[in-house]
Amino acid sequence: MLNKVVIIGVGLIGGSFALGLKRAGAVREVVGIGRHPEATARALELGIVDSVGTSYEDALRGADLVLLAAPVAQTGPILQALLPHLEQGTIVTDAGSTKCDVVAAARAALKDRVHQFVPGHPIAGSESNGPDAALAGLYDGKKVVITALPENAQQDVERVAAAWRACGAIIHTLSPEDHDRVFAAVSHLPHLLAYALVDDVAAKPHADLLFQYAASGFRDFTRIAGSSPEMWRDISLANRAALLAELDAYLAQLTSMRAMLAAADGSALEAVYTNAQRARRAWIEAIEAGSSVSPSCPQPQDNT
């Protein structure tokens, strides 16, 4: 049982964390803080938080756990603001989609107290934003990756892990570097592609006609382009090197497939499509079987 949890950013991710803890009876008090008063007021109205913090000093008094659920570029400034009021027994974690930049920001802001920061990343979400999007069951059966630091005490890592488990999540561990390489490929690049496709279609002179006939395939492929532009701007820039490497590899694949199409090489195109179909089926079967990855991929470290 956590006595007091402070959530900075009470939208989809932070709000769902609060609701998950409350559903499990794992917290006595949740305090919300945010940049937008209307959002924190709405979170209070919905019962996501029990009170709204008017200052970090008041909010952090007696806190067991603080969750940063804000765009990753804000990590450093937020931690700097927290530091003067951060009690020795309080652990801070985050929900950022990049980790190397977050760890660097934490080291710069917290210095010799960086041991109180345990980085994390819940692998769950939606294209919806704000407190009204929060769901108590958002993390049920979903992975949360903890990228613990050498300075972290095991009991502090376990406090963070236990909170996420209370929300229904499954805990995995990766290094910050491995985390950013993995998610550049399977999360950050897909978001970039979805945004690029919708922006390209919207810029065409006959965009209205195109959108009129866009159906479920277009909708499914571009769903994630409905996510927060601010958040994904920060993620793209924070993981720039790994994302550029993945983008270059994808451009090479597109160039190869363009050549197949130009040459009317149907067998080569079909081979690419078949391989992709096979890989996707294996991935879906692995998910349905409760496995973390497809049989052809290395197993990530799991501490459950």
Side-chain angles (χ1 to χ4, degrees):
M1 170 67 74
L2 293 164
N3 184 56
K4 183 178 183 181
V5 171
V6 177
I7 298 180
I8 302 173
V10 288
L12 170 69
I13 298 301
S16 297
F17 183 70
L19 291 175
L21 290 176
K22 288 188 169 195
R23 181 188 64 176
V27 63
R28 291 189 174 91
E29 179 186 7
V30 177
V31 179
I33 299 180
R35 293 179 295 167
H36 305 296
E38 63 276 12
T40 51
R42 181 60 175 158
L44 183 62
E45 180 184 353
L46 293 170
I48 294 172
V49 301
D50 301 306
S51 63
V52 174
T54 56
S55 70
Y56 285 133
E57 181 179 9
D58 290 338
L60 266 65
R61 190 175 293 116
D64 299 305
L65 183 66
V66 178
L67 173 69
L68 274 59
V72 291
Q74 297 177 27
T75 302
I78 290 174
L79 290 176
Q80 288 176 344
L82 291 181
L83 183 59
H85 315 293
L86 186 61
E87 298 178 359
Q88 292 296 327
T90 303
I91 300 305
V92 182
T93 188
D94 79 306
S97 295
T98 55
K99 294 273 72 84
C100 289
D101 63 309
V102 164
V103 169
R107 292 191 184 283
L110 300 179
K111 298 181 172 60
D112 61 349
R113 297 184 66 184
V114 73
H115 64 277
Q116 290 180 250
F117 181 73
V118 179
H121 176 201
I123 315 305
S126 163
E127 68 276 15
S128 301
N129 305 301
D132 287 281
L135 298 168
L138 181 67
Y139 303 115
D140 287 344
K142 300 298 194 304
K143 300 178 184 68
V144 170
V145 178
I146 293 179
T147 61
L149 308 178
E151 295 91 339
N152 292 147
Q154 184 55 43
Q155 64 265 28
D156 295 338
V157 175
E158 179 54 31
R159 185 187 304 182
V160 173
W164 284 114
R165 287 194 199 101
C167 294
I170 301 166
I171 305 301
H172 288 247
T173 62
L174 289 170
S175 70
E177 295 78 13
D178 284 344
H179 172 281
D180 287 359
R181 282 191 291 268
V182 166
F183 285 95
V186 298
S187 176
H188 307 166
L189 179 64
H191 277 81
L192 185 151
L193 299 178
Y195 281 119
L197 178 58
V198 177
D199 184 65
D200 179 63
V201 172
K204 295 182 185 297
H206 55 310
D208 290 346
L209 181 64
L210 296 176
F211 282 125
Q212 179 182 347
Y213 290 100
S216 58
F218 185 86
R219 182 191 61 217
D220 293 346
F221 184 82
T222 62
R223 176 187 61 80
I224 51 179
S227 303
S228 165
E230 178 189 14
M231 180 179 73
W232 282 99
R233 174 203 66 196
D234 289 353
I235 291 168
S236 299
L237 293 175
N239 203 21
R240 186 171 66 255
L243 183 53
L244 282 170
E246 293 299 331
L247 184 57
D248 287 344
Y250 191 78
L251 287 170
Q253 171 79 330
L254 290 180
T255 299
S256 175
M257 293 182 70
R258 188 190 186 286
M260 297 171 192
L261 187 60
D265 191 344
S267 61
L269 280 172
E270 184 179 359
V272 173
Y273 295 166
T274 300
N275 184 60
Q277 180 193 56
R278 185 184 302 116
R280 190 179 189 281
R281 282 179 175 171
W283 168 59
I284 295 297
E285 289 170 2
I287 291 174
E288 292 174 348
S291 173
S292 56
V293 291
S294 67
S296 62
C297 299
Q299 177 77 30
Q301 180 68 31
D302 189 340
N303 66 2
T304 56

